[in-house]
Amino acid sequence: MKMLVPPKFRVVRDATRCIGCQVCVNQCSFDAHYYDAEDVVVCSRDENCVACHRCATFCPTGALTITRNPLDYRENQNWHREDIEDIWRQAESGGMLLTGMGTDKGYPIYWDHLLLNASQVTNPSIDPLREPMELTTYLGRKPDKVKISPDSLKLETEMAPQVRIDVPVMFSAMSYGAVSLNVHKSLARAATEMGTLWNTGEGGLHPSLYKYGKNTIVQVASGRFGVQPSYLHAARVVEIKIGQGAKPGIGGHLPAEKVSAEVSMTRMIPRGTDALSPAPQHDIYSIEDLTQLIYALKEATNYTKPISVKIAAVHNSAAIASGMVRAGADIIVLDGLRGATGAAPKVIRDNVGIPIELALASVDTRLRQEGIRNQASLVISGGIRNSGDVTKAIALGADAVNIGTAALVALGCHVCQQCHTGKCAWGICTTDLSLTRRINPEIGARRLANLLRGWSLEIKDMLGGMGINAIESLRGNRLHLRGVGLTDTELEILGVRMAGS
Amino acid sequence: MKDMRKVNNPHNDDKVIDACSIFGAMDVTGRRFSGNGVIKAITNMHDRSNGLGGGFAVYGLYPAYADSYAFHIMYLNDAAQNQTEAFLKENLHILYGEKVPTKPTAGIVNPPLFWRYFAEVGNHKLEDIPDDDYIVAKVMQINTTIDDVFVFSSGKNMGVFKGVGYPEQIAAYFCLEQYQGYLWTAHGRFPTNTPGWWGGAHPFSVLDWTVVHNGEISSYGINRRCLEQFGYQCTMQTDTEVVAYAVDLLVRKHGLPIELVAKILAPPFWSNISRQANGQKELLLTLRQVYGSLLLNGPFTFIIAHQGEMIGLTDRIRLRPLTVGEKGSMLYLSSEESAIRLVSPDLDRAWTPVGGEPVIGRLGKPLPSQRELVIAGVM
């Protein structure tokens, strides 16, 4: 039976420019281009095109344009094209709809309703080109007070392990298997160069990357992939993954075809088998179970590394976060509604969780109300797009942010949402060796480091404008934020005043 | 219409922004001297204030009641006074109370009532806490639960006089030339709104700690949230208030010496910390890691005083002025050198301290030599 779903995009080939070189045919991993040897022409299969723009970018004569397929359904305010086509897809397949990346729905982006402050007259702005401007951040549990011996003035307080990052931006957890080894190499090298951290995700740490351990967060997730003593010892931070913003409440599934020899070795599972991450961690059915895992990991690493716990931002995040801090988490990671994924059921990605801005504000407020905000660092992720978002997140109360999609975009990702297919034409979200070669780790690391460098300069300029020369003076300093276009309730939850007030 | 006498922040701004003149004088031998010189010096910096606030703190003020808590309290009406006095009687043992003498002065309009009380905790405490903590709690209770009253100061053998007017008018109004003390600080205020509330003038005080301040603290939002975690209620929406509470927390509750407190409020840059000798490096690193939310950012100079000690400190890149003058056992701190020279023309030394390095005068301790100052990094 013919599929009812029409092509979403149309490949427009300018015949006067096309020289028949077949670069597009070779570059497209979705078979949207083919060469007709009989007629000696390059042709398109529009139904396969995902608008990743790999062909258009590489076409040497600029002959290709990708446009929306101008197929108009009868106007209907209730039944949009996506609703109709999703039903057709499910009627044909009988399965869940899978997708990749973060939600593309129009949920409010609160960053775009928050504005930063700057000094005028009463307070000099500080020029980062002339004065020191400090972005250094230490992640980890802090005591309520410092104890000094009264006689010798020597330090008596023994600090829990602290991790220094030179820029308050880290790379989100993206597992080997979901992304390629070359992506991991790019992230690890960039993190090392910029003095920040990257995160293995739940797929283990490839042996060639152990040397970047000082800048690595290793994850212990429900599948326990790749978890072994040397893995824990190699890391700077150990992270327990409870949930992920793109798919709160459900597990993961790396299909067998992505479990190559190297992935199998790194994850410590048989080659060519599905890698299944259960929805919950089966040894954590309650908060006291989390304490046990946290302390098991602290024991295993001899109390030398902070233990981080990552959750998806959900309705009760504030209470859950409070429990996590009391359970012994040194770092809390909140991943918001717009957080991305290598693969998730579309209905979950688009309907479950809450925006990260609201979760961040309520968690920071709650931890302060309970007087335990100092006991854990707060890291957020899920849709951070630029240094403005980073700066606003810190003013709302975050110690640092994680970027996933933004990092992949720096590597060339075009956000075409095909991560779950394993066919990424940009060689990022795939383990197909013919595609992963498209990322050169040296160039990738340079591009990622450049992104962080650029953002650092911008953050410093914004800080200086506010008359601040150390990032800790912005952290949780919501007086430097004002809201526009928000209701009273939204302003109250964000703890921010209306612009002009 | 709002009664402007009751309002510190009439437009509900994030905080009251003001710039100022500040002056401090201390005789480290403990000799008490009259306020004439200090009044003359702060008057000389008239143009740094705009007539909307002036104030003085005096230490060694009440030797006859040196061991009891001296409350300076402002009332806007009789009801407030009745209610407060009942509260005081219920919670403290009052030794003596009187109206603070004042005289009508040109430029002082619609002043509130001022009373002072000398009190002891006696057997009123129910919990096993230090007397100081008890007094702080009671002062916070008066300020937040009783209308139209404000406690200016509550330390031993000291007092704060302040109000709306130029500092010289406030001095004349309270007859300050008649008082003696071994340590005086003074303030002339230039706020960017028009506060009518006398409690909003400097010095700010908690127990015997006082702060006079010139600057705008751009980290105010987080400093305030941090202090709220420790039970301080920032009711006045001024950044000076957070300085007073931060010092009280760090010195009195956390037991840190003032030299280290200065390293928390105006910490060295990370790059400087990494260059310190072992031991010192870990100390400074830990202080900054733990107390990052109390770092005071933005331009400021303040003079903090408490019993037996006067401390001058600027922000770490010194965006507001501070000059130190020394003559014999007298230590002067001032926004302008001219004000010091006016009262003590023949100084032994006058210098500008390095940003973020505290200048400390201590009762009974001679002022440090130039060599010691250079080693400490202040000069």
mmCIF file of all heavy atoms in Angstrom, chain A residues 171 190 193-194 444-454:
data_model
loop_
_atom_site.group_PDB
_atom_site.id
_atom_site.type_symbol
_atom_site.label_atom_id
_atom_site.label_comp_id
_atom_site.label_asym_id
_atom_site.label_seq_id
_atom_site.Cartn_x
_atom_site.Cartn_y
_atom_site.Cartn_z
ATOM 1 N N PHE A 171 29.720 20.317 28.955
ATOM 2 C CA PHE A 171 29.026 19.604 27.884
ATOM 3 C C PHE A 171 28.096 18.552 28.494
ATOM 4 O O PHE A 171 28.481 17.806 29.391
ATOM 5 C CB PHE A 171 30.035 18.956 26.939
ATOM 6 C CG PHE A 171 30.914 19.959 26.234
ATOM 7 C CD1 PHE A 171 32.295 19.857 26.302
ATOM 8 C CD2 PHE A 171 30.357 21.012 25.518
ATOM 9 C CE1 PHE A 171 33.114 20.789 25.660
ATOM 10 C CE2 PHE A 171 31.162 21.945 24.884
ATOM 11 C CZ PHE A 171 32.549 21.837 24.946
ATOM 12 N N ALA A 190 38.123 19.547 23.805
ATOM 13 C CA ALA A 190 37.690 20.941 24.004
ATOM 14 C C ALA A 190 37.543 21.236 25.492
ATOM 15 O O ALA A 190 37.945 22.306 25.974
ATOM 16 C CB ALA A 190 36.371 21.197 23.285
ATOM 17 N N GLU A 193 40.951 21.686 26.955
ATOM 18 C CA GLU A 193 41.573 22.950 26.554
ATOM 19 C C GLU A 193 40.949 24.134 27.290
ATOM 20 O O GLU A 193 41.656 25.063 27.698
ATOM 21 C CB GLU A 193 41.404 23.140 25.040
ATOM 22 C CG GLU A 193 42.105 24.391 24.527
ATOM 23 C CD GLU A 193 41.893 24.601 23.030
ATOM 24 O OE1 GLU A 193 41.579 23.619 22.327
ATOM 25 O OE2 GLU A 193 42.041 25.752 22.579
ATOM 26 N N MET A 194 39.640 24.094 27.491
ATOM 27 C CA MET A 194 38.958 25.258 28.067
ATOM 28 C C MET A 194 38.797 25.164 29.581
ATOM 29 O O MET A 194 38.201 26.046 30.197
ATOM 30 C CB MET A 194 37.583 25.437 27.428
ATOM 31 C CG MET A 194 37.620 25.762 25.949
ATOM 32 S SD MET A 194 38.650 27.211 25.584
ATOM 33 C CE MET A 194 37.686 28.505 26.366
ATOM 34 N N GLY A 444 36.827 19.452 15.303
ATOM 35 C CA GLY A 444 35.676 19.494 16.213
ATOM 36 C C GLY A 444 36.035 20.141 17.530
ATOM 37 O O GLY A 444 35.299 20.997 18.043
ATOM 38 N N ALA A 445 37.184 19.743 18.100
ATOM 39 C CA ALA A 445 37.605 20.311 19.382
ATOM 40 C C ALA A 445 37.830 21.812 19.250
ATOM 41 O O ALA A 445 37.483 22.591 20.141
ATOM 42 C CB ALA A 445 38.872 19.624 19.872
ATOM 43 N N ARG A 446 38.406 22.202 18.107
ATOM 44 C CA ARG A 446 38.674 23.631 17.908
ATOM 45 C C ARG A 446 37.360 24.421 17.852
ATOM 46 O O ARG A 446 37.225 25.480 18.448
ATOM 47 C CB ARG A 446 39.489 23.850 16.635
ATOM 48 C CG ARG A 446 40.013 25.268 16.510
ATOM 49 C CD ARG A 446 41.041 25.396 15.410
ATOM 50 N NE ARG A 446 40.434 25.252 14.103
ATOM 51 C CZ ARG A 446 40.962 24.539 13.101
ATOM 52 N NH1 ARG A 446 42.100 23.903 13.259
ATOM 53 N NH2 ARG A 446 40.351 24.468 11.942
ATOM 54 N N ARG A 447 36.389 23.863 17.143
ATOM 55 C CA ARG A 447 35.104 24.573 17.011
ATOM 56 C C ARG A 447 34.399 24.678 18.373
ATOM 57 O O ARG A 447 33.839 25.721 18.717
ATOM 58 C CB ARG A 447 34.198 23.850 16.014
ATOM 59 C CG ARG A 447 34.720 23.879 14.591
ATOM 60 C CD ARG A 447 33.788 23.134 13.648
ATOM 61 N NE ARG A 447 32.515 23.822 13.500
ATOM 62 C CZ ARG A 447 32.265 24.738 12.571
ATOM 63 N NH1 ARG A 447 33.207 25.072 11.705
ATOM 64 N NH2 ARG A 447 31.091 25.325 12.509
ATOM 65 N N LEU A 448 34.455 23.607 19.151
ATOM 66 C CA LEU A 448 33.813 23.635 20.475
ATOM 67 C C LEU A 448 34.513 24.613 21.412
ATOM 68 O O LEU A 448 33.872 25.378 22.143
ATOM 69 C CB LEU A 448 33.820 22.235 21.082
ATOM 70 C CG LEU A 448 32.863 21.229 20.447
ATOM 71 C CD1 LEU A 448 33.218 19.818 20.870
ATOM 72 C CD2 LEU A 448 31.422 21.555 20.807
ATOM 73 N N ALA A 449 35.852 24.574 21.378
ATOM 74 C CA ALA A 449 36.607 25.494 22.243
ATOM 75 C C ALA A 449 36.326 26.933 21.823
ATOM 76 O O ALA A 449 36.179 27.825 22.667
ATOM 77 C CB ALA A 449 38.099 25.184 22.171
ATOM 78 N N ASN A 450 36.243 27.158 20.519
ATOM 79 C CA ASN A 450 35.935 28.508 20.037
ATOM 80 C C ASN A 450 34.584 28.982 20.548
ATOM 81 O O ASN A 450 34.422 30.139 20.936
ATOM 82 C CB ASN A 450 35.923 28.543 18.503
ATOM 83 C CG ASN A 450 37.320 28.743 17.942
ATOM 84 O OD1 ASN A 450 38.227 29.164 18.646
ATOM 85 N ND2 ASN A 450 37.494 28.415 16.676
ATOM 86 N N LEU A 451 33.620 28.080 20.546
ATOM 87 C CA LEU A 451 32.283 28.452 21.026
ATOM 88 C C LEU A 451 32.357 28.905 22.489
ATOM 89 O O LEU A 451 31.844 29.961 22.859
ATOM 90 C CB LEU A 451 31.323 27.272 20.888
ATOM 91 C CG LEU A 451 29.909 27.531 21.403
ATOM 92 C CD1 LEU A 451 29.163 28.478 20.477
ATOM 93 C CD2 LEU A 451 29.124 26.232 21.564
ATOM 94 N N LEU A 452 33.051 28.103 23.304
ATOM 95 C CA LEU A 452 33.155 28.458 24.728
ATOM 96 C C LEU A 452 33.945 29.745 24.914
ATOM 97 O O LEU A 452 33.645 30.555 25.796
ATOM 98 C CB LEU A 452 33.812 27.320 25.514
ATOM 99 C CG LEU A 452 33.024 26.014 25.602
ATOM 100 C CD1 LEU A 452 33.706 25.054 26.565
ATOM 101 C CD2 LEU A 452 31.590 26.263 26.055
ATOM 102 N N ARG A 453 34.965 29.925 24.067
ATOM 103 C CA ARG A 453 35.778 31.142 24.151
ATOM 104 C C ARG A 453 34.906 32.366 23.844
ATOM 105 O O ARG A 453 34.939 33.377 24.549
ATOM 106 C CB ARG A 453 36.918 31.030 23.139
ATOM 107 C CG ARG A 453 38.212 31.655 23.588
ATOM 108 C CD ARG A 453 39.339 31.279 22.636
ATOM 109 N NE ARG A 453 40.030 30.077 23.040
ATOM 110 C CZ ARG A 453 40.257 29.018 22.251
ATOM 111 N NH1 ARG A 453 39.823 29.009 21.001
ATOM 112 N NH2 ARG A 453 40.888 27.977 22.718
ATOM 113 N N GLY A 454 34.138 32.255 22.791
ATOM 114 C CA GLY A 454 33.260 33.368 22.399
ATOM 115 C C GLY A 454 32.243 33.670 23.483
ATOM 116 O O GLY A 454 32.008 34.831 23.844
#
